[in-house]
Amino acid sequence: MALMTGKEYRESLRNRRPLNVYMAGEKLENPYDHPIIAASINSIALTYELAEEGSDYRDDLTEISSLTGNRINRFCHIHRSPEELYKKVGMQRLLGQKCGTCFQRCVGMDAFNATFSTTYEMDEKYGTSYHERFKKYMLEVEEGDLVVDGCMTDPKGDRSKRPHQCPDPDVYVHVVERRPDGIVISGAKTHQTGCINSHHALIMPTVTMTEEDKDFAVTCIVESDDPGITYIYGRQSCDTRLMEDPDGDNMDAGSPNFGGQEALMVFDNVFVPTERVFMDGEWDFSGMLVERFAGYHRSSYACKTGVGDVAIGAAQLIAEYNGAARASHIKDKIVEMNHLNETIWSSSVACCWLGKETKSGNYLIDLLLANVCKQNVTRFPYEIARLLQDIAGGLMVTAPHAKDLENPETAELVKKFLGGAEGVDTKDRLKLLRLIENLTMGRAAVGYLTESMHGAGSPQAQRIMIARQADVQRKKEYAKALANIKS
Ligand code: SF4
Ligand code: FE
């Protein structure tokens, strides 16, 4: 079975050992039916549903495996050309349009591709067999159509200390024991996107390590239902609105069917068999892995252009509902939103088409442009959100509760006084305002704004990479040549 249906994916989660998931002070007996978690599962399930036979998007969501020749989900794919990198970001924009939030599955895909090429180069230097081992693991991923959480961010504690200097070494995932048949790891990973909705987690180092940090230079696979893992669910703004009316239309949730997911993941002496270890102590390759993973994931932030498309659509629609769509300043603001969104898209597309083959044979995006793309993402969605709020008007934060539309004492008053343009249903107008609220300051804003800022590395991380990749020395020579400076 190389492709699961959405239904099979949902079942595959339930068939696991019980996970240790804590939320709001309680251990969840049944995490999958919790309205907050269910919404996040729906987002990942889309990556299966749109790949199903008969789906209009099957070609966008699937690819022919370079390892087996079978049709597989693109999220399990090792990219072999600039065109495939481009198809990847196209898929991400599409999914952003469909769920309006983070669909979580990209982190693993980006981690696969970074690990694929890094293990090849490690083996070249050290004569190890990590790459063949990793390829074998990828067969399992492809054939099982697995979701794998790419786990990079360690809690870090005191940022002024290197991993080996930390008084509590658990603030970085590290090897605590080496056995003949594998390793044992402990530590934690923070804000792990989709970790509970994943089958496996691919652990990677979070920073470039030094020789003294050897035990922290570890890359390996753990099963998400390992009893040694504890998950503490991350809150999102207005998340409990999902619990208010889960069986109704839940209008106050804004976009009730979809959500993202982040959690703190703690590893307490988790055993990893040798065949699932892809770096153990090769500290001098940690930087390469981090840089390549970050590069892929920064290009993946094309997902935000899909959410941007939703934001632009919402802006146009609310302008029409308000009777303001013909005002020239509204039209101009919508042009501006499109310009910003497509500027992100252009850097994302460009870094794919300028991608180069690595020694291992897969393709790596252009690192300079991938970092420019992500730097754009740290800024433009905020401006798009500002313009969306500007066009929407203040009612998006002063509108009454959904129940006030049901209460016979208030329903007619709400309808009469909160209506918009002639012929527009007041409830539709309020629903759209809740969507805008969600996108710009609710659960979806976690994905559209804060994740845009900090996901795949905070803005300064991209600026460091831009400084490194921009080759300013060469640019100095251009200036000197034109000015006829000989020295
Ligand atoms: Fe994918 Fe975007 Fe979510 Fe990252 S933020 S996992 S790229 S949807
Ligand atoms: Fe992210």
Side-chain angles (χ1 to χ4, degrees):
M1 175 196 60
L3 283 163
M4 271 202 270
T5 62
K7 187 165 174 271
E8 286 164 342
Y9 161 66
R10 291 169 196 276
E11 281 162 8
S12 71
L13 297 181
R14 289 174 191 272
N15 291 338
R16 300 182 293 182
R17 290 172 282 188
L19 268 62
N20 303 312
V21 182
Y22 290 82
M23 186 197 280
E26 279 174 24
K27 185 167 177 179
L28 299 182
E29 283 308 315
N30 173 13
Y32 310 112
D33 290 334
H34 192 291
I36 292 176
I37 300 183
S40 71
I41 292 174
N42 290 344
S43 304
I44 296 205
L46 258 190
T47 71
Y48 290 91
E49 287 155 7
L50 300 189
E52 286 174 20
E53 230 172 321
S55 156
D56 290 346
Y57 306 105
R58 189 167 166 92
D59 286 345
D60 300 286
L61 271 286
T62 63
E63 191 48 85
I64 300 301
S65 162
S66 49
L67 305 178
T68 63
N70 294 338
R71 183 165 289 279
I72 57 167
N73 194 293
R74 194 177 296 285
F75 281 100
C76 301
H77 186 54
I78 300 293
H79 318 298
R80 299 160 303 179
S81 65
E83 192 184 354
E84 287 185 358
L85 289 170
Y86 168 65
K87 285 183 175 169
K88 177 198 82 144
V89 294
M91 167 183 77
Q92 289 164 316
R93 185 167 185 167
L94 169 72
L95 285 160
Q97 292 163 347
K98 296 287 180 195
C99 71
T101 186
C102 170
F103 38 89
Q104 309 146 53
R105 202 174 171 184
C106 326
V107 205
M109 167 179 60
D110 295 334
F112 298 150
N113 278 276
T115 307
F116 190 85
S117 62
T118 305
T119 49
Y120 186 92
E121 291 176 46
M122 278 162 68
D123 290 353
E124 230 183 24
K125 178 166 178 190
Y126 288 114
T128 41
S129 51
Y130 291 125
H131 187 66
E132 278 312 307
R133 212 184 264 176
F134 187 67
K135 267 165 72 177
K136 230 186 233 170
Y137 173 67
M138 282 309 298
L139 292 179
E140 193 183 324
V141 171
E142 288 185 2
E143 288 308 298
D145 202 0
L146 302 181
V147 180
V148 178
D149 169 26
C151 284
M152 180 158 278
T153 312
D154 293 86
K156 299 189 189 78
D158 180 347
R159 270 65 172 171
S160 70
K161 296 194 185 331
R162 303 283 325 159
H164 73 277
Q165 295 167 331
C166 292
D168 180 357
D170 286 345
V171 293
Y172 286 86
V173 169
H174 58 290
V175 179
V176 288
E177 193 187 335
R178 290 186 175 82
R179 297 182 189 164
D181 54 346
I183 59 174
V184 178
I185 60 165
S186 280
K189 293 283 185 186
T190 50
H191 21 85
Q192 283 310 299
T193 299
C195 53
I196 292 156
N197 304 342
S198 301
H199 303 101
H200 292 172
L202 174 47
I203 311 287
M204 297 170 282
T206 193
V207 289
T208 301
M209 300 290 172
T210 61
E211 192 162 5
E212 294 120 308
D213 300 320
K214 253 180 147 174
D215 288 341
F216 301 84
V218 58
T219 301
C220 62
I221 284 289
V222 297
E223 309 221 344
S224 308
D225 61 356
D226 190 293
I229 303 175
T230 299
Y231 299 88
I232 306 173
Y233 214 85
R235 286 216 76 168
Q236 298 187 336
S237 174
C238 305
D239 51 2
T240 49
R241 287 203 195 175
L242 282 169
M243 298 160 72
E244 287 176 7
D245 181 25
D247 303 321
D249 71 357
N250 214 353
M251 131 179 174
D252 279 0
S255 166
N257 295 328
F258 296 107
Q261 174 182 92
E262 264 84 28
L264 170 66
M265 213 175 163
V266 181
F267 306 90
D268 179 15
N269 287 295
V270 175
F271 175 71
V272 186
T274 305
E275 64 268 20
R276 287 192 167 174
V277 178
F278 311 114
M279 178 190 288
D280 177 16
E282 291 80 3
W283 58 273
D284 47 337
F285 281 88
S286 54
M288 179 187 287
L289 184 59
V290 171
E291 194 173 286
R292 290 184 180 179
F293 167 73
Y296 280 118
H297 204 45
R298 287 170 192 171
S299 76
S300 286
Y301 268 65
C303 68
K304 303 305 177 205
T305 60
V307 186
D309 290 331
V310 177
I312 293 164
Q316 179 65 38
L317 202 54
I318 197 64
E320 290 170 14
Y321 285 5
N322 290 349
R326 296 178 67 180
S328 61
H329 74 99
I330 299 277
K331 289 183 188 162
D332 192 53
K333 280 166 187 158
I334 289 174
V335 169
E336 178 67 8
M337 291 167 87
N338 277 297
H339 174 249
L340 293 166
N341 206 39
E342 300 306 332
T343 304
I344 297 173
W345 178 241
S346 18
S347 47
S348 177
V349 168
C351 76
C352 294
W353 282 108
L354 293 183
K356 296 255 165 10
E357 191 174 7
T358 67
K359 287 182 175 177
S360 66
N362 74 344
Y363 271 69
L364 179 66
I365 35 70
D366 180 85
L367 283 173
L368 174 58
L369 292 183
N371 279 278
V372 168
C373 170
K374 178 62 205 341
Q375 185 80 176
N376 288 340
V377 171
T378 64
R379 300 171 178 178
F380 299 167
Y382 284 87
E383 183 60 10
I384 293 171
R386 189 185 73 78
L387 290 165
L388 176 55
Q389 289 196 347
D390 177 351
I391 293 170
L395 187 59
M396 68 172 216
V397 290
T398 61
H401 199 287
K403 288 206 163 93
D404 294 315
L405 262 172
E406 287 164 19
N407 181 350
E409 289 169 43
T410 51
E412 287 311 312
L413 296 175
V414 173
K415 278 188 195 147
K416 178 178 159 83
F417 290 109
L418 300 185
E422 213 182 321
V424 173
D425 182 89
T426 302
K427 188 166 182 183
D428 287 346
R429 182 168 181 244
L430 293 176
K431 274 184 175 173
L432 182 60
L433 288 166
R434 287 299 180 213
L435 172 74
I436 296 171
E437 180 193 32
N438 186 34
L439 274 176
T440 60
M441 55 202 299
R443 292 172 298 114
V446 173
Y448 190 46
L449 301 180
T450 318
E451 193 175 41
S452 290
M453 175 77 84
H454 293 293
S458 304
Q460 191 56 24
Q462 289 111 59
R463 299 184 83 77
I464 291 167
M465 282 300 291
I466 291 170
R468 225 185 271 165
Q469 302 278 330
D471 198 358
V472 176
Q473 286 308 323
R474 186 163 50 87
K475 293 170 187 172
K476 260 171 50 184
E477 295 308 319
Y478 297 144
K480 275 168 110 179
L482 287 178
N484 213 7
I485 298 171
K486 305 284 183 215
S487 56

